[in-house]
Amino acid sequence: MTGDEWAAADIGRPPTRDDVTITLDGRRIDSKEKAIAWLAEIEADRAAGKTAADTFA
């Protein structure tokens, strides 16, 4: 099964309580406050010219 096939099959199931965004560093974005803080971090990185590649450098 390809990744696209797996993702398409997964869309049909109902969400569960633990379906949350998890960042690459393991943080769970499981509340409105965490989401706002995470988006603020992303915006600050963008304003500073930082890219995702910089995270892995």
Side-chain angles (χ1 to χ4, degrees):
M1 177 182 291
T2 69
D4 289 339
E5 291 169 337
W6 178 83
D10 196 47
I11 290 173
R13 68 176 177 81
T16 62
R17 292 180 51 85
D18 65 342
D19 281 342
V20 298
T21 298
I22 300 175
T23 62
L24 292 175
D25 62 3
R27 291 181 291 163
R28 295 175 60 86
I29 310 301
D30 57 2
S31 70
K32 179 181 177 179
E33 293 77 17
K34 288 182 181 180
I36 291 170
W38 179 55
L39 292 172
E41 287 177 33
I42 292 170
E43 182 56 30
D45 287 346
R46 288 181 60 182
K50 192 174 177 183
T51 66
D54 296 327
T55 302
F56 301 110

